[in-house]
Short mmCIF file of all heavy atoms in Angstrom, two decimals:
data_model
loop_
_atom_site.label_atom_id
_atom_site.label_comp_id
_atom_site.label_asym_id
_atom_site.label_seq_id
_atom_site.Cartn_x
_atom_site.Cartn_y
_atom_site.Cartn_z
N GLU A 298 31.86 90.47 -34.43
CA GLU A 298 33.32 90.48 -34.57
C GLU A 298 33.75 89.69 -35.80
O GLU A 298 34.66 90.09 -36.52
CB GLU A 298 33.94 89.88 -33.31
CG GLU A 298 33.79 90.77 -32.08
CD GLU A 298 34.27 90.09 -30.82
OE1 GLU A 298 34.59 88.88 -30.89
OE2 GLU A 298 34.32 90.75 -29.79
N GLU A 299 33.06 88.59 -36.05
CA GLU A 299 33.38 87.78 -37.21
C GLU A 299 33.08 88.55 -38.49
O GLU A 299 33.83 88.49 -39.47
CB GLU A 299 32.55 86.49 -37.18
CG GLU A 299 32.73 85.63 -38.39
CD GLU A 299 31.77 84.46 -38.38
OE1 GLU A 299 30.58 84.66 -38.07
OE2 GLU A 299 32.22 83.36 -38.69
N ALA A 300 31.97 89.31 -38.48
CA ALA A 300 31.57 90.03 -39.68
C ALA A 300 32.34 91.33 -39.87
O ALA A 300 32.39 91.86 -40.98
CB ALA A 300 30.07 90.34 -39.61
N SER A 301 32.96 91.85 -38.81
CA SER A 301 33.60 93.16 -38.89
C SER A 301 34.62 93.24 -40.01
O SER A 301 35.53 92.44 -40.12
CB SER A 301 34.29 93.47 -37.55
OG SER A 301 34.92 94.72 -37.61
N GLY A 302 34.41 94.19 -40.89
CA GLY A 302 35.34 94.40 -41.99
C GLY A 302 35.12 93.49 -43.17
O GLY A 302 35.71 93.67 -44.21
N LEU A 303 34.23 92.51 -43.03
CA LEU A 303 34.03 91.55 -44.10
C LEU A 303 32.65 91.65 -44.72
O LEU A 303 32.37 91.02 -45.72
CB LEU A 303 34.23 90.11 -43.56
CG LEU A 303 35.59 89.80 -42.96
CD1 LEU A 303 35.57 88.41 -42.36
CD2 LEU A 303 36.68 89.91 -44.02
N GLY A 304 31.78 92.43 -44.11
CA GLY A 304 30.38 92.38 -44.49
C GLY A 304 29.73 91.23 -43.75
O GLY A 304 30.37 90.26 -43.37
N TYR A 305 28.43 91.35 -43.52
CA TYR A 305 27.75 90.31 -42.75
C TYR A 305 27.81 88.99 -43.52
O TYR A 305 27.46 88.94 -44.69
CB TYR A 305 26.29 90.71 -42.51
CG TYR A 305 25.66 89.92 -41.40
CD1 TYR A 305 25.63 90.43 -40.11
CD2 TYR A 305 25.14 88.67 -41.63
CE1 TYR A 305 25.07 89.71 -39.08
CE2 TYR A 305 24.59 87.93 -40.60
CZ TYR A 305 24.55 88.47 -39.33
OH TYR A 305 24.00 87.73 -38.31
N PRO A 306 28.28 87.90 -42.88
CA PRO A 306 28.44 86.63 -43.62
C PRO A 306 27.10 86.06 -44.04
O PRO A 306 26.18 85.93 -43.23
CB PRO A 306 29.14 85.72 -42.60
CG PRO A 306 28.78 86.27 -41.27
CD PRO A 306 28.66 87.75 -41.45
N LYS A 307 26.97 85.70 -45.30
CA LYS A 307 25.73 85.11 -45.79
C LYS A 307 25.58 83.68 -45.30
O LYS A 307 24.47 83.22 -45.03
CB LYS A 307 25.71 85.14 -47.32
CG LYS A 307 24.40 84.62 -47.91
CD LYS A 307 24.34 84.83 -49.41
CE LYS A 307 22.99 84.37 -49.97
NZ LYS A 307 22.86 84.62 -51.42
N TYR A 308 26.71 82.96 -45.15
CA TYR A 308 26.68 81.58 -44.69
C TYR A 308 27.50 81.46 -43.41
O TYR A 308 28.57 82.08 -43.30
CB TYR A 308 27.24 80.64 -45.75
CG TYR A 308 26.54 80.73 -47.08
CD1 TYR A 308 27.11 81.45 -48.13
CD2 TYR A 308 25.31 80.14 -47.28
CE1 TYR A 308 26.47 81.55 -49.36
CE2 TYR A 308 24.66 80.23 -48.50
CZ TYR A 308 25.24 80.94 -49.53
OH TYR A 308 24.60 81.05 -50.74
N LYS A 309 27.03 80.70 -42.48
CA LYS A 309 27.75 80.50 -41.22
C LYS A 309 29.05 79.75 -41.48
O LYS A 309 29.06 78.74 -42.19
CB LYS A 309 26.89 79.75 -40.22
CG LYS A 309 25.69 80.55 -39.74
CD LYS A 309 24.91 79.80 -38.67
CE LYS A 309 23.74 80.64 -38.17
NZ LYS A 309 22.97 79.93 -37.13
N THR A 310 30.13 80.25 -40.89
CA THR A 310 31.44 79.68 -41.18
C THR A 310 31.60 78.26 -40.63
O THR A 310 32.49 77.53 -41.08
CB THR A 310 32.56 80.57 -40.62
OG1 THR A 310 32.32 80.78 -39.21
CG2 THR A 310 32.59 81.90 -41.34
N GLU A 311 30.75 77.85 -39.68
CA GLU A 311 30.86 76.47 -39.18
C GLU A 311 30.32 75.46 -40.18
O GLU A 311 30.48 74.26 -40.00
CB GLU A 311 30.13 76.31 -37.84
CG GLU A 311 28.65 76.59 -37.87
CD GLU A 311 28.31 78.00 -37.45
OE1 GLU A 311 29.13 78.90 -37.71
OE2 GLU A 311 27.23 78.20 -36.87
N GLY A 312 29.67 75.92 -41.24
CA GLY A 312 29.26 75.04 -42.31
C GLY A 312 28.03 74.21 -41.97
O GLY A 312 27.26 74.53 -41.06
N GLY A 313 27.83 73.14 -42.74
CA GLY A 313 26.68 72.27 -42.56
C GLY A 313 27.05 70.82 -42.83
O GLY A 313 28.15 70.51 -43.29
N ARG A 314 26.11 69.92 -42.57
CA ARG A 314 26.41 68.48 -42.67
C ARG A 314 25.16 67.71 -43.10
O ARG A 314 24.04 68.04 -42.68
CB ARG A 314 26.91 67.96 -41.32
CG ARG A 314 27.27 66.46 -41.30
CD ARG A 314 27.72 66.06 -39.92
NE ARG A 314 27.99 64.63 -39.80
CZ ARG A 314 29.16 64.06 -39.98
NH1 ARG A 314 30.21 64.80 -40.28
NH2 ARG A 314 29.33 62.75 -39.84
N ILE A 315 25.38 66.70 -43.92
CA ILE A 315 24.34 65.73 -44.24
C ILE A 315 24.84 64.33 -43.91
O ILE A 315 26.04 64.07 -43.95
CB ILE A 315 23.91 65.79 -45.72
CG1 ILE A 315 25.09 65.49 -46.65
CG2 ILE A 315 23.26 67.12 -46.05
CD1 ILE A 315 24.70 65.32 -48.10
N GLU A 316 23.91 63.45 -43.54
CA GLU A 316 24.22 62.04 -43.34
C GLU A 316 23.12 61.23 -44.00
O GLU A 316 21.93 61.55 -43.87
CB GLU A 316 24.31 61.69 -41.85
CG GLU A 316 25.46 62.34 -41.11
CD GLU A 316 25.47 61.98 -39.63
OE1 GLU A 316 24.71 61.04 -39.25
OE2 GLU A 316 26.21 62.63 -38.87
N THR A 317 23.50 60.18 -44.72
CA THR A 317 22.51 59.29 -45.29
C THR A 317 21.92 58.41 -44.20
O THR A 317 22.47 58.28 -43.11
CB THR A 317 23.12 58.39 -46.36
OG1 THR A 317 24.03 57.47 -45.73
CG2 THR A 317 23.85 59.21 -47.41
N GLN A 318 20.78 57.83 -44.49
CA GLN A 318 20.30 56.75 -43.66
C GLN A 318 21.27 55.57 -43.76
O GLN A 318 22.01 55.48 -44.74
CB GLN A 318 18.91 56.31 -44.13
CG GLN A 318 17.85 57.38 -44.10
CD GLN A 318 16.60 56.97 -44.84
OE1 GLN A 318 16.52 55.88 -45.40
NE2 GLN A 318 15.62 57.85 -44.87
N PRO A 319 21.30 54.68 -42.77
CA PRO A 319 22.09 53.45 -42.96
C PRO A 319 21.56 52.70 -44.18
O PRO A 319 20.38 52.36 -44.26
CB PRO A 319 21.84 52.67 -41.66
CG PRO A 319 21.51 53.73 -40.65
CD PRO A 319 20.73 54.77 -41.41
N LEU A 320 22.42 52.46 -45.15
CA LEU A 320 22.02 51.89 -46.43
C LEU A 320 22.25 50.39 -46.41
O LEU A 320 23.37 49.92 -46.26
CB LEU A 320 22.81 52.55 -47.57
CG LEU A 320 22.70 54.08 -47.64
CD1 LEU A 320 23.69 54.64 -48.65
CD2 LEU A 320 21.28 54.50 -47.98
N LEU A 321 21.16 49.61 -46.57
CA LEU A 321 21.23 48.16 -46.49
C LEU A 321 21.82 47.59 -47.78
O LEU A 321 21.40 47.93 -48.89
CB LEU A 321 19.83 47.60 -46.26
CG LEU A 321 19.71 46.07 -46.23
CD1 LEU A 321 20.49 45.48 -45.07
CD2 LEU A 321 18.23 45.68 -46.15
N THR A 322 22.83 46.72 -47.66
CA THR A 322 23.41 46.05 -48.82
C THR A 322 23.24 44.54 -48.64
O THR A 322 22.14 44.04 -48.69
CB THR A 322 24.90 46.43 -48.97
OG1 THR A 322 25.62 46.08 -47.77
CG2 THR A 322 25.04 47.92 -49.22
N SER A 323 24.31 43.82 -48.43
CA SER A 323 24.24 42.40 -48.12
C SER A 323 25.38 42.08 -47.16
O SER A 323 26.31 42.88 -46.99
CB SER A 323 24.36 41.54 -49.38
OG SER A 323 25.65 41.67 -49.95
N MET A 324 25.29 40.92 -46.53
CA MET A 324 26.31 40.55 -45.56
C MET A 324 27.70 40.58 -46.18
O MET A 324 27.92 40.09 -47.28
CB MET A 324 26.01 39.15 -45.00
CG MET A 324 24.84 39.11 -44.04
SD MET A 324 25.20 39.99 -42.50
CE MET A 324 23.67 39.70 -41.61
N ASP A 325 28.62 41.18 -45.43
CA ASP A 325 30.03 41.17 -45.80
C ASP A 325 30.29 41.90 -47.12
O ASP A 325 31.26 41.59 -47.83
CB ASP A 325 30.56 39.74 -45.89
CG ASP A 325 32.09 39.70 -45.66
OD1 ASP A 325 32.58 40.58 -44.95
OD2 ASP A 325 32.74 38.81 -46.21
N ALA A 326 29.43 42.87 -47.47
CA ALA A 326 29.71 43.70 -48.64
C ALA A 326 30.85 44.64 -48.30
O ALA A 326 31.08 44.99 -47.14
CB ALA A 326 28.47 44.48 -49.05
N SER A 327 31.59 45.06 -49.31
CA SER A 327 32.69 45.99 -49.10
C SER A 327 32.43 47.27 -49.89
O SER A 327 32.02 47.22 -51.05
CB SER A 327 34.02 45.36 -49.53
OG SER A 327 33.98 45.00 -50.90
N LEU A 328 32.66 48.41 -49.23
CA LEU A 328 32.46 49.71 -49.87
C LEU A 328 33.69 50.01 -50.72
O LEU A 328 34.82 49.98 -50.25
CB LEU A 328 32.26 50.79 -48.80
CG LEU A 328 31.90 52.19 -49.29
CD1 LEU A 328 30.60 52.17 -50.08
CD2 LEU A 328 31.77 53.13 -48.10
N ASP A 329 33.45 50.31 -52.01
CA ASP A 329 34.56 50.52 -52.94
C ASP A 329 34.91 52.00 -53.11
O ASP A 329 36.08 52.37 -53.11
CB ASP A 329 34.21 49.93 -54.31
CG ASP A 329 34.01 48.42 -54.24
OD1 ASP A 329 34.69 47.78 -53.43
OD2 ASP A 329 33.16 47.91 -54.99
N SER A 330 33.90 52.85 -53.24
CA SER A 330 34.17 54.28 -53.45
C SER A 330 32.90 55.09 -53.25
O SER A 330 31.78 54.55 -53.34
CB SER A 330 34.72 54.53 -54.87
OG SER A 330 33.73 54.26 -55.84
N VAL A 331 33.08 56.37 -52.98
CA VAL A 331 32.00 57.34 -52.95
C VAL A 331 32.40 58.49 -53.85
O VAL A 331 33.46 59.11 -53.64
CB VAL A 331 31.72 57.86 -51.52
CG1 VAL A 331 30.64 58.95 -51.55
CG2 VAL A 331 31.29 56.72 -50.61
N SER A 332 31.62 58.75 -54.88
CA SER A 332 31.92 59.82 -55.83
C SER A 332 30.84 60.87 -55.75
O SER A 332 29.65 60.54 -55.66
CB SER A 332 32.02 59.27 -57.26
OG SER A 332 33.00 58.26 -57.34
#
Side-chain angles (χ1 to χ4, degrees):
E298 290 174 352
E299 176 186 44
S301 179
L303 300 175
Y305 198 95
K307 184 173 183 177
Y308 304 101
K309 293 184 178 180
T310 55
E311 61 264 32
R314 181 181 176 92
I315 60 171
E316 294 178 12
T317 68
Q318 300 168 359
L320 304 171
L321 177 63
T322 57
S323 67
M324 287 292 182
D325 205 29
S327 60
L328 186 60
D329 297 328
S330 67
V331 176
S332 302

